[in-house]
Amino acid sequence: MTRALIVVDVQNDFTEGGALGVTGGQALAGRISAFLARHGDEYDLIVGSRDWHHGDDDNGGHFAVGVEPDFVTTWPVHCVAGTPGAEYHPELDTAPIDVHVMKGQGEPAYSAFEGTTDTGQDLADVLFDRAVHEIAIVGIATDHCVRATAQDGLRAGLDVVVLRDLVVGVDPGRSATALAEIADAGGHVDQSDMDEGIGRPGGALV
């Protein structure tokens, strides 16, 4: 079975100090790098996704402009294309990533399946072209973009695995619910082996 690993939105704006920083995001970036060093060659394809928003509009209502964000459908400006906030966190080793997809260019986007490569190919087509049948998902945030990516993977008929110790969420309760929803929909929520000799990052890991 052809397997892919999807690294979801491990970006500066989603880690501590960023516009939408998640507690534990920085440590998670290093933890994912350690996982890639240990297991990267076990995947036939490694994909990295990033929010890559416009900086001169509200991205289809995604950015709150002139009002307070509700943090449900509207958000502070974040991950503007070409800015440091949109870049991968420096502790994430991007060398093993084979394909990069960007999402949210002028519209709300949460799932990595809404992203496209710089040649315009969407993620589903990338996976189809490589005959991928199983995806493992790691990254930020469990209760938002990880959840949406897993749901779209299941809808695409893929076997979906979320590695619970390699994701970090905004809200622990909503994150636990998201993992339960993924499992109830037919996905798998598993644990990696990264606790063997490697400390857990701070903050909520779901």
Side-chain angles (χ1 to χ4, degrees):
M1 177 178 289
T2 304
R3 305 168 69 216
L5 177 72
I6 302 178
V7 181
V8 176
D9 298 2
V10 183
Q11 298 172 260
N12 289 323
D13 267 348
F14 294 140
T15 58
E16 290 88 341
L20 284 171
V22 177
T23 301
Q26 177 176 338
L28 181 69
R31 193 174 174 85
I32 291 172
S33 293
F35 179 81
L36 290 171
R38 187 180 292 187
H39 295 292
D41 60 359
E42 298 171 16
Y43 294 92
D44 302 284
L45 179 70
I46 299 175
V47 177
S49 75
R50 280 181 288 173
D51 271 12
W52 199 250
H53 296 306
H54 290 171
D56 55 359
D57 60 35
D58 68 357
N59 283 277
H62 191 57
F63 289 166
V65 177
V67 296
E68 290 297 313
D70 62 18
F71 296 96
V72 178
T73 60
T74 61
W75 308 88
V77 174
H78 62 277
C79 297
V80 171
T83 68
E87 296 304 320
Y88 292 113
H89 191 278
E91 292 192 23
L92 176 68
D93 181 8
T94 59
I97 296 176
D98 302 300
V99 175
H100 303 268
V101 296
M102 283 76 79
K103 57 190 174 69
Q105 295 159 300
E107 60 185 5
Y110 297 91
S111 168
F113 283 85
E114 297 176 86
T116 58
T117 66
D118 26 350
T119 62
Q121 189 176 32
D122 65 35
L123 178 57
D125 287 340
V126 170
L127 299 178
F128 179 80
D129 286 350
R130 305 290 185 96
V132 169
H133 297 285
E134 177 186 303
I135 59 172
I137 301 171
V138 300
I140 305 171
T142 313
D143 41 347
H144 294 285
C145 296
V146 167
R147 173 180 178 269
T149 300
Q151 290 175 329
D152 278 354
L154 290 167
R155 280 191 282 265
L158 298 167
D159 290 332
V160 173
V161 179
V162 176
L163 297 176
R164 67 164 65 245
D165 58 314
L166 294 177
V167 294
V168 63
V170 176
D171 177 85
R174 288 198 305 267
S175 296
T177 297
L179 294 179
E181 289 173 351
I182 292 163
D184 288 345
H188 306 279
V189 179
D190 291 339
Q191 189 88 1
S192 80
D193 63 354
M194 298 310 294
D195 284 330
E196 299 174 7
I198 298 177
R200 283 184 176 274
L205 278 179
V206 295

